[in-house]
Amino acid sequence: MSRIDDLIAELCPNGVEFKTLGEVGEFIRGNGLQKSDLTNTGVRAIHYGQIHTHYGAWATETKSFVSVTHAARLRKAQFGDLIIATTSEDDQAVAKAVAWMGNDEVAISGDAYIYRHNLEPKYVAYFFQSEQFQIQKKRHITGTKVRRVSGQSLAKIRIPVPPPIIQSEIAKVLDTFTELEAKLAAELEARRKQYRYYRDSLLNFAEYANSAGEQRTANSEQRTANSEQRTAN
């Protein structure tokens, strides 16, 4: 963080400038891609629902594709664009975004926007996850059961715009923490599986004890029966 602080002191002595998202980019609405159109081969594609369930802050690969013929009719994100899911059933997930860092264009669905801008892509993606963004976004959300926000409303949200080198440094730091968080989550899940295994194994002794007891009872009953049979003979 000290490097970022030093850069801000050097390059922004009067503070960091704020601009609206509309001033530094444009919002382009997706069109015509349904979930049923997705395939395993063809042109890369991202459905808005997948942004909620599959993608993090940025991506270079897609989970799904769409046919070349259908892709020709769709709007596409380019390297550095943000792809934004503009609908959800809860406010926190509205406007969840992924920065597209792949070399190929990617087709997007309706209920999603492309945000084409001149900022550092990952910096913008992380800004969309920030508390500052969430607070501003809330006043623009509409709808009852299905909650949504428009590109026109998103364009009014203000974003800090430090020089590009500072944007890049911030993105690098947040990338590092994101990677660490993923490793910790994987380690935690592995420990949970290990815990469940030992818990279930170690607490199974009662079942074995019962089985052994039942076997001893059965053996005793069999010996008694054999003795009675010999007496009778």
Side-chain angles (χ1 to χ4, degrees), residues 76-233:
K76 300 177 186 69
Q78 303 168 359
F79 177 88
D81 289 346
L82 226 60
I83 305 170
I84 307 163
T86 55
T87 64
S88 176
E89 291 187 356
D90 70 275
D91 289 3
Q92 185 69 24
V94 173
K96 186 175 185 293
V98 52
W100 177 242
M101 305 300 288
N103 294 323
D104 302 329
E105 290 186 329
V106 55
I108 71 163
S109 68
D111 282 330
Y113 273 88
I114 297 166
Y115 179 54
R116 190 157 292 155
H117 54 87
N118 55 20
L119 304 175
E120 207 289 333
K122 293 181 182 180
Y123 172 79
V124 184
Y126 285 123
F127 171 73
F128 268 65
Q129 296 179 0
S130 71
E131 183 180 14
Q132 188 176 163
F133 173 79
Q134 295 295 330
I135 291 172
Q136 294 185 74
K137 176 192 72 176
K138 284 181 180 179
R139 69 176 70 105
H140 298 295
I141 296 175
T142 60
T144 51
K145 181 178 180 181
V146 177
R147 306 286 279 166
R148 66 180 67 248
V149 65
S150 69
Q152 184 178 7
S153 294
L154 289 172
K156 300 174 183 177
I157 290 176
R158 290 167 57 79
I159 181 173
V161 186
I165 187 173
I166 297 177
Q167 296 177 36
S168 296
E169 285 297 319
I170 291 172
K172 286 178 185 177
V173 170
L174 295 177
D175 270 351
T176 299
F177 279 105
T178 299
E179 183 179 353
L180 177 61
E181 184 179 41
K183 288 179 179 178
L184 290 173
E187 174 68 15
L188 180 60
E189 180 58 27
R191 294 302 181 190
R192 281 173 176 161
K193 289 181 179 179
Q194 188 178 42
Y195 163 74
R196 288 195 294 266
Y197 170 78
Y198 281 105
R199 177 197 63 197
D200 294 343
S201 296
L202 293 172
L203 294 179
N204 255 344
F205 67 87
E207 179 180 346
Y208 296 136
N210 287 340
S211 296
E214 289 169 2
Q215 186 62 47
R216 286 195 297 271
T217 300
N219 290 341
S220 176
E221 290 174 350
Q222 183 62 48
R223 285 195 298 272
T224 300
N226 291 341
S227 177
E228 290 175 350
Q229 186 175 9
R230 284 195 298 271
T231 301
N233 291 336

